[in-house]
Amino acid sequence: MTRSDVLTIIVFAAAAIGGYLFMGRPLMADQPYAARVAEIASKRPDEMTFPEALARLESLTQEQPDAAEPHFFIGELLRSQGREDEAVRAYQSALRRDEAYVPAYLALADTLVRLEDGQITPTAQSLYERAYGFDSTQIRAGFMVGLADWQAGNEALADNRWAALAERVEGPRAEMLAAWISAAKGEE
């Protein structure tokens, strides 16, 4: 380094320190950030941008460390942006906080199926089974368990699962289930 380079560095360092001492205050709270967080929190969810919504949900994870919902909604937000690997981690975080949180089981299983181009892996099948086990009104989860068997070539087991499921539903839900089964079997 030349002498002029050293002098230039010293002048800029002195200017930076002088500017900080003139304008800044050591140990001062980060007021602009706190004001921004309050502004974001006051917005309706449909008025928030993606970064604002993510920031709000992340602040909720700090405020409610044992709640599954903020992590679940972070996953939903990330998945909507095509960031499925990150969404998987968010859903897993939700399930670590509440092992009976059915929406996270369903979303995690659906995301894994999408990542596998429509193939229901044993992990995804297990997640659907858990969701259906916690909430037997989740007909789609029960159907997906059978669909995993169908995809694996175990058509008899799939038919048995779907028949047992069909006995539990009626009306429009039964018609919907029948349509799903027909589509899975290639009948439509």
PDB file of all heavy atoms in Angstrom, residues 7-36:
ATOM      1  N   LEU A   7      -3.621   7.003   3.931  1.00  0.00           N
ATOM      2  CA  LEU A   7      -4.292   8.244   4.314  1.00  0.00           C
ATOM      3  C   LEU A   7      -5.770   8.218   3.922  1.00  0.00           C
ATOM      4  O   LEU A   7      -6.626   8.692   4.684  1.00  0.00           O
ATOM      5  CB  LEU A   7      -3.595   9.453   3.660  1.00  0.00           C
ATOM      6  CG  LEU A   7      -2.264   9.864   4.291  1.00  0.00           C
ATOM      7  CD1 LEU A   7      -1.598  10.942   3.460  1.00  0.00           C
ATOM      8  CD2 LEU A   7      -2.477  10.346   5.704  1.00  0.00           C
ATOM      9  N   THR A   8      -6.076   7.671   2.767  1.00  0.00           N
ATOM     10  CA  THR A   8      -7.462   7.567   2.326  1.00  0.00           C
ATOM     11  C   THR A   8      -8.267   6.700   3.294  1.00  0.00           C
ATOM     12  O   THR A   8      -9.387   7.049   3.674  1.00  0.00           O
ATOM     13  CB  THR A   8      -7.530   6.988   0.903  1.00  0.00           C
ATOM     14  OG1 THR A   8      -6.755   7.797   0.023  1.00  0.00           O
ATOM     15  CG2 THR A   8      -8.959   6.910   0.405  1.00  0.00           C
ATOM     16  N   ILE A   9      -7.701   5.582   3.696  1.00  0.00           N
ATOM     17  CA  ILE A   9      -8.380   4.686   4.647  1.00  0.00           C
ATOM     18  C   ILE A   9      -8.601   5.395   5.973  1.00  0.00           C
ATOM     19  O   ILE A   9      -9.694   5.323   6.554  1.00  0.00           O
ATOM     20  CB  ILE A   9      -7.571   3.381   4.827  1.00  0.00           C
ATOM     21  CG1 ILE A   9      -7.619   2.565   3.529  1.00  0.00           C
ATOM     22  CG2 ILE A   9      -8.124   2.568   5.996  1.00  0.00           C
ATOM     23  CD1 ILE A   9      -6.703   1.376   3.518  1.00  0.00           C
ATOM     24  N   ILE A  10      -7.605   6.112   6.453  1.00  0.00           N
ATOM     25  CA  ILE A  10      -7.719   6.824   7.734  1.00  0.00           C
ATOM     26  C   ILE A  10      -8.791   7.901   7.650  1.00  0.00           C
ATOM     27  O   ILE A  10      -9.610   8.057   8.562  1.00  0.00           O
ATOM     28  CB  ILE A  10      -6.349   7.410   8.151  1.00  0.00           C
ATOM     29  CG1 ILE A  10      -5.394   6.272   8.526  1.00  0.00           C
ATOM     30  CG2 ILE A  10      -6.505   8.383   9.314  1.00  0.00           C
ATOM     31  CD1 ILE A  10      -3.976   6.704   8.769  1.00  0.00           C
ATOM     32  N   VAL A  11      -8.837   8.640   6.546  1.00  0.00           N
ATOM     33  CA  VAL A  11      -9.831   9.697   6.382  1.00  0.00           C
ATOM     34  C   VAL A  11     -11.245   9.104   6.364  1.00  0.00           C
ATOM     35  O   VAL A  11     -12.154   9.615   7.039  1.00  0.00           O
ATOM     36  CB  VAL A  11      -9.547  10.516   5.090  1.00  0.00           C
ATOM     37  CG1 VAL A  11     -10.724  11.419   4.739  1.00  0.00           C
ATOM     38  CG2 VAL A  11      -8.281  11.331   5.250  1.00  0.00           C
ATOM     39  N   PHE A  12     -11.451   8.008   5.596  1.00  0.00           N
ATOM     40  CA  PHE A  12     -12.787   7.399   5.551  1.00  0.00           C
ATOM     41  C   PHE A  12     -13.174   6.798   6.893  1.00  0.00           C
ATOM     42  O   PHE A  12     -14.338   6.886   7.304  1.00  0.00           O
ATOM     43  CB  PHE A  12     -12.858   6.347   4.444  1.00  0.00           C
ATOM     44  CG  PHE A  12     -13.067   6.934   3.071  1.00  0.00           C
ATOM     45  CD1 PHE A  12     -12.067   6.880   2.118  1.00  0.00           C
ATOM     46  CD2 PHE A  12     -14.260   7.552   2.750  1.00  0.00           C
ATOM     47  CE1 PHE A  12     -12.255   7.422   0.864  1.00  0.00           C
ATOM     48  CE2 PHE A  12     -14.468   8.097   1.498  1.00  0.00           C
ATOM     49  CZ  PHE A  12     -13.454   8.040   0.542  1.00  0.00           C
ATOM     50  N   ALA A  13     -12.246   6.183   7.586  1.00  0.00           N
ATOM     51  CA  ALA A  13     -12.538   5.624   8.914  1.00  0.00           C
ATOM     52  C   ALA A  13     -12.912   6.732   9.880  1.00  0.00           C
ATOM     53  O   ALA A  13     -13.870   6.605  10.655  1.00  0.00           O
ATOM     54  CB  ALA A  13     -11.349   4.826   9.420  1.00  0.00           C
ATOM     55  N   ALA A  14     -12.169   7.852   9.851  1.00  0.00           N
ATOM     56  CA  ALA A  14     -12.465   8.984  10.736  1.00  0.00           C
ATOM     57  C   ALA A  14     -13.832   9.576  10.400  1.00  0.00           C
ATOM     58  O   ALA A  14     -14.607   9.935  11.297  1.00  0.00           O
ATOM     59  CB  ALA A  14     -11.372  10.049  10.622  1.00  0.00           C
ATOM     60  N   ALA A  15     -14.165   9.659   9.117  1.00  0.00           N
ATOM     61  CA  ALA A  15     -15.474  10.186   8.707  1.00  0.00           C
ATOM     62  C   ALA A  15     -16.596   9.268   9.189  1.00  0.00           C
ATOM     63  O   ALA A  15     -17.637   9.736   9.656  1.00  0.00           O
ATOM     64  CB  ALA A  15     -15.528  10.354   7.190  1.00  0.00           C
ATOM     65  N   ALA A  16     -16.397   7.972   9.075  1.00  0.00           N
ATOM     66  CA  ALA A  16     -17.407   7.023   9.531  1.00  0.00           C
ATOM     67  C   ALA A  16     -17.604   7.111  11.037  1.00  0.00           C
ATOM     68  O   ALA A  16     -18.739   7.139  11.530  1.00  0.00           O
ATOM     69  CB  ALA A  16     -17.026   5.608   9.127  1.00  0.00           C
ATOM     70  N   ILE A  17     -16.536   7.160  11.778  1.00  0.00           N
ATOM     71  CA  ILE A  17     -16.633   7.254  13.244  1.00  0.00           C
ATOM     72  C   ILE A  17     -17.274   8.578  13.635  1.00  0.00           C
ATOM     73  O   ILE A  17     -18.147   8.622  14.504  1.00  0.00           O
ATOM     74  CB  ILE A  17     -15.235   7.077  13.896  1.00  0.00           C
ATOM     75  CG1 ILE A  17     -14.777   5.629  13.700  1.00  0.00           C
ATOM     76  CG2 ILE A  17     -15.270   7.447  15.366  1.00  0.00           C
ATOM     77  CD1 ILE A  17     -13.329   5.388  14.084  1.00  0.00           C
ATOM     78  N   GLY A  18     -16.867   9.654  12.990  1.00  0.00           N
ATOM     79  CA  GLY A  18     -17.449  10.969  13.281  1.00  0.00           C
ATOM     80  C   GLY A  18     -18.936  10.998  12.978  1.00  0.00           C
ATOM     81  O   GLY A  18     -19.732  11.540  13.752  1.00  0.00           O
ATOM     82  N   GLY A  19     -19.327  10.422  11.858  1.00  0.00           N
ATOM     83  CA  GLY A  19     -20.748  10.362  11.497  1.00  0.00           C
ATOM     84  C   GLY A  19     -21.541   9.564  12.508  1.00  0.00           C
ATOM     85  O   GLY A  19     -22.644   9.954  12.892  1.00  0.00           O
ATOM     86  N   TYR A  20     -20.984   8.452  12.959  1.00  0.00           N
ATOM     87  CA  TYR A  20     -21.684   7.629  13.952  1.00  0.00           C
ATOM     88  C   TYR A  20     -21.834   8.395  15.264  1.00  0.00           C
ATOM     89  O   TYR A  20     -22.900   8.404  15.878  1.00  0.00           O
ATOM     90  CB  TYR A  20     -20.944   6.318  14.189  1.00  0.00           C
ATOM     91  CG  TYR A  20     -21.587   5.491  15.277  1.00  0.00           C
ATOM     92  CD1 TYR A  20     -22.776   4.824  15.036  1.00  0.00           C
ATOM     93  CD2 TYR A  20     -21.041   5.418  16.548  1.00  0.00           C
ATOM     94  CE1 TYR A  20     -23.400   4.098  16.030  1.00  0.00           C
ATOM     95  CE2 TYR A  20     -21.658   4.695  17.547  1.00  0.00           C
ATOM     96  CZ  TYR A  20     -22.839   4.034  17.288  1.00  0.00           C
ATOM     97  OH  TYR A  20     -23.449   3.316  18.266  1.00  0.00           O
ATOM     98  N   LEU A  21     -20.749   9.054  15.702  1.00  0.00           N
ATOM     99  CA  LEU A  21     -20.815   9.792  16.967  1.00  0.00           C
ATOM    100  C   LEU A  21     -21.781  10.968  16.879  1.00  0.00           C
ATOM    101  O   LEU A  21     -22.446  11.311  17.857  1.00  0.00           O
ATOM    102  CB  LEU A  21     -19.421  10.272  17.366  1.00  0.00           C
ATOM    103  CG  LEU A  21     -18.438   9.159  17.766  1.00  0.00           C
ATOM    104  CD1 LEU A  21     -17.057   9.742  18.016  1.00  0.00           C
ATOM    105  CD2 LEU A  21     -18.933   8.407  18.982  1.00  0.00           C
ATOM    106  N   PHE A  22     -21.879  11.577  15.705  1.00  0.00           N
ATOM    107  CA  PHE A  22     -22.764  12.715  15.531  1.00  0.00           C
ATOM    108  C   PHE A  22     -24.231  12.284  15.439  1.00  0.00           C
ATOM    109  O   PHE A  22     -25.109  12.903  16.015  1.00  0.00           O
ATOM    110  CB  PHE A  22     -22.357  13.495  14.271  1.00  0.00           C
ATOM    111  CG  PHE A  22     -23.245  14.668  13.976  1.00  0.00           C
ATOM    112  CD1 PHE A  22     -23.216  15.814  14.779  1.00  0.00           C
ATOM    113  CD2 PHE A  22     -24.132  14.634  12.915  1.00  0.00           C
ATOM    114  CE1 PHE A  22     -24.043  16.885  14.513  1.00  0.00           C
ATOM    115  CE2 PHE A  22     -24.961  15.705  12.641  1.00  0.00           C
ATOM    116  CZ  PHE A  22     -24.919  16.842  13.442  1.00  0.00           C
ATOM    117  N   MET A  23     -24.506  11.208  14.704  1.00  0.00           N
ATOM    118  CA  MET A  23     -25.887  10.796  14.432  1.00  0.00           C
ATOM    119  C   MET A  23     -26.348   9.598  15.256  1.00  0.00           C
ATOM    120  O   MET A  23     -27.526   9.473  15.544  1.00  0.00           O
ATOM    121  CB  MET A  23     -26.040  10.455  12.947  1.00  0.00           C
ATOM    122  CG  MET A  23     -25.799  11.646  12.047  1.00  0.00           C
ATOM    123  SD  MET A  23     -25.882  11.208  10.321  1.00  0.00           S
ATOM    124  CE  MET A  23     -27.617  10.920  10.134  1.00  0.00           C
ATOM    125  N   GLY A  24     -25.453   8.702  15.606  1.00  0.00           N
ATOM    126  CA  GLY A  24     -25.844   7.479  16.282  1.00  0.00           C
ATOM    127  C   GLY A  24     -25.747   7.582  17.787  1.00  0.00           C
ATOM    128  O   GLY A  24     -25.158   8.511  18.332  1.00  0.00           O
ATOM    129  N   ARG A  25     -26.354   6.626  18.432  1.00  0.00           N
ATOM    130  CA  ARG A  25     -26.279   6.556  19.889  1.00  0.00           C
ATOM    131  C   ARG A  25     -26.012   5.116  20.283  1.00  0.00           C
ATOM    132  O   ARG A  25     -26.814   4.231  19.966  1.00  0.00           O
ATOM    133  CB  ARG A  25     -27.603   7.006  20.506  1.00  0.00           C
ATOM    134  CG  ARG A  25     -27.887   8.458  20.277  1.00  0.00           C
ATOM    135  CD  ARG A  25     -29.107   8.902  21.072  1.00  0.00           C
ATOM    136  NE  ARG A  25     -29.494  10.205  20.592  1.00  0.00           N
ATOM    137  CZ  ARG A  25     -30.690  10.512  20.153  1.00  0.00           C
ATOM    138  NH1 ARG A  25     -31.637   9.614  20.153  1.00  0.00           N
ATOM    139  NH2 ARG A  25     -30.952  11.720  19.741  1.00  0.00           N
ATOM    140  N   PRO A  26     -24.942   4.851  20.962  1.00  0.00           N
ATOM    141  CA  PRO A  26     -24.658   3.471  21.380  1.00  0.00           C
ATOM    142  C   PRO A  26     -25.774   2.937  22.275  1.00  0.00           C
ATOM    143  O   PRO A  26     -26.360   3.657  23.070  1.00  0.00           O
ATOM    144  CB  PRO A  26     -23.348   3.588  22.158  1.00  0.00           C
ATOM    145  CG  PRO A  26     -22.759   4.891  21.757  1.00  0.00           C
ATOM    146  CD  PRO A  26     -23.901   5.774  21.358  1.00  0.00           C
ATOM    147  N   LEU A  27     -26.084   1.659  22.123  1.00  0.00           N
ATOM    148  CA  LEU A  27     -27.079   0.945  22.920  1.00  0.00           C
ATOM    149  C   LEU A  27     -28.499   1.474  22.752  1.00  0.00           C
ATOM    150  O   LEU A  27     -29.372   1.185  23.557  1.00  0.00           O
ATOM    151  CB  LEU A  27     -26.690   0.924  24.398  1.00  0.00           C
ATOM    152  CG  LEU A  27     -25.293   0.355  24.703  1.00  0.00           C
ATOM    153  CD1 LEU A  27     -24.991   0.481  26.174  1.00  0.00           C
ATOM    154  CD2 LEU A  27     -25.185  -1.082  24.256  1.00  0.00           C
ATOM    155  N   MET A  28     -28.755   2.248  21.711  1.00  0.00           N
ATOM    156  CA  MET A  28     -30.098   2.739  21.456  1.00  0.00           C
ATOM    157  C   MET A  28     -30.937   1.612  20.853  1.00  0.00           C
ATOM    158  O   MET A  28     -30.444   0.854  20.025  1.00  0.00           O
ATOM    159  CB  MET A  28     -30.041   3.919  20.484  1.00  0.00           C
ATOM    160  CG  MET A  28     -31.382   4.570  20.256  1.00  0.00           C
ATOM    161  SD  MET A  28     -31.248   6.066  19.278  1.00  0.00           S
ATOM    162  CE  MET A  28     -31.559   5.404  17.665  1.00  0.00           C
ATOM    163  N   ALA A  29     -32.168   1.501  21.282  1.00  0.00           N
ATOM    164  CA  ALA A  29     -33.055   0.470  20.744  1.00  0.00           C
ATOM    165  C   ALA A  29     -33.268   0.709  19.254  1.00  0.00           C
ATOM    166  O   ALA A  29     -33.243   1.852  18.784  1.00  0.00           O
ATOM    167  CB  ALA A  29     -34.391   0.498  21.480  1.00  0.00           C
ATOM    168  N   ASP A  30     -33.531  -0.355  18.542  1.00  0.00           N
ATOM    169  CA  ASP A  30     -33.719  -0.271  17.102  1.00  0.00           C
ATOM    170  C   ASP A  30     -35.136   0.182  16.808  1.00  0.00           C
ATOM    171  O   ASP A  30     -36.008  -0.593  16.453  1.00  0.00           O
ATOM    172  CB  ASP A  30     -33.433  -1.640  16.473  1.00  0.00           C
ATOM    173  CG  ASP A  30     -33.300  -1.553  14.970  1.00  0.00           C
ATOM    174  OD1 ASP A  30     -33.401  -0.444  14.423  1.00  0.00           O
ATOM    175  OD2 ASP A  30     -33.077  -2.605  14.358  1.00  0.00           O
ATOM    176  N   GLN A  31     -35.385   1.460  16.977  1.00  0.00           N
ATOM    177  CA  GLN A  31     -36.732   1.996  16.849  1.00  0.00           C
ATOM    178  C   GLN A  31     -37.319   1.866  15.455  1.00  0.00           C
ATOM    179  O   GLN A  31     -38.495   1.547  15.326  1.00  0.00           O
ATOM    180  CB  GLN A  31     -36.749   3.437  17.324  1.00  0.00           C
ATOM    181  CG  GLN A  31     -36.494   3.542  18.812  1.00  0.00           C
ATOM    182  CD  GLN A  31     -36.338   4.971  19.263  1.00  0.00           C
ATOM    183  OE1 GLN A  31     -36.160   5.867  18.444  1.00  0.00           O
ATOM    184  NE2 GLN A  31     -36.393   5.175  20.562  1.00  0.00           N
ATOM    185  N   PRO A  32     -36.570   2.093  14.399  1.00  0.00           N
ATOM    186  CA  PRO A  32     -37.195   1.950  13.083  1.00  0.00           C
ATOM    187  C   PRO A  32     -37.706   0.526  12.842  1.00  0.00           C
ATOM    188  O   PRO A  32     -38.774   0.342  12.272  1.00  0.00           O
ATOM    189  CB  PRO A  32     -36.079   2.307  12.108  1.00  0.00           C
ATOM    190  CG  PRO A  32     -35.174   3.186  12.891  1.00  0.00           C
ATOM    191  CD  PRO A  32     -35.241   2.659  14.298  1.00  0.00           C
ATOM    192  N   TYR A  33     -36.978  -0.478  13.281  1.00  0.00           N
ATOM    193  CA  TYR A  33     -37.405  -1.859  13.092  1.00  0.00           C
ATOM    194  C   TYR A  33     -38.661  -2.143  13.915  1.00  0.00           C
ATOM    195  O   TYR A  33     -39.608  -2.754  13.423  1.00  0.00           O
ATOM    196  CB  TYR A  33     -36.287  -2.832  13.459  1.00  0.00           C
ATOM    197  CG  TYR A  33     -36.679  -4.272  13.299  1.00  0.00           C
ATOM    198  CD1 TYR A  33     -36.768  -4.837  12.041  1.00  0.00           C
ATOM    199  CD2 TYR A  33     -36.996  -5.067  14.395  1.00  0.00           C
ATOM    200  CE1 TYR A  33     -37.150  -6.152  11.862  1.00  0.00           C
ATOM    201  CE2 TYR A  33     -37.379  -6.383  14.237  1.00  0.00           C
ATOM    202  CZ  TYR A  33     -37.444  -6.918  12.972  1.00  0.00           C
ATOM    203  OH  TYR A  33     -37.831  -8.218  12.809  1.00  0.00           O
ATOM    204  N   ALA A  34     -38.670  -1.679  15.157  1.00  0.00           N
ATOM    205  CA  ALA A  34     -39.836  -1.909  16.013  1.00  0.00           C
ATOM    206  C   ALA A  34     -41.076  -1.246  15.417  1.00  0.00           C
ATOM    207  O   ALA A  34     -42.171  -1.814  15.445  1.00  0.00           O
ATOM    208  CB  ALA A  34     -39.565  -1.383  17.420  1.00  0.00           C
ATOM    209  N   ALA A  35     -40.897  -0.067  14.868  1.00  0.00           N
ATOM    210  CA  ALA A  35     -42.032   0.610  14.246  1.00  0.00           C
ATOM    211  C   ALA A  35     -42.508  -0.169  13.023  1.00  0.00           C
ATOM    212  O   ALA A  35     -43.713  -0.285  12.782  1.00  0.00           O
ATOM    213  CB  ALA A  35     -41.637   2.038  13.851  1.00  0.00           C
ATOM    214  N   ARG A  36     -41.583  -0.723  12.256  1.00  0.00           N
ATOM    215  CA  ARG A  36     -41.944  -1.486  11.054  1.00  0.00           C
ATOM    216  C   ARG A  36     -42.682  -2.772  11.442  1.00  0.00           C
ATOM    217  O   ARG A  36     -43.659  -3.145  10.804  1.00  0.00           O
ATOM    218  CB  ARG A  36     -40.684  -1.805  10.252  1.00  0.00           C
ATOM    219  CG  ARG A  36     -40.948  -2.561   8.996  1.00  0.00           C
ATOM    220  CD  ARG A  36     -41.637  -1.706   7.948  1.00  0.00           C
ATOM    221  NE  ARG A  36     -41.754  -2.470   6.716  1.00  0.00           N
ATOM    222  CZ  ARG A  36     -42.872  -2.611   6.042  1.00  0.00           C
ATOM    223  NH1 ARG A  36     -43.965  -2.005   6.430  1.00  0.00           N
ATOM    224  NH2 ARG A  36     -42.903  -3.341   4.955  1.00  0.00           N
TER     225      ARG A  36
END
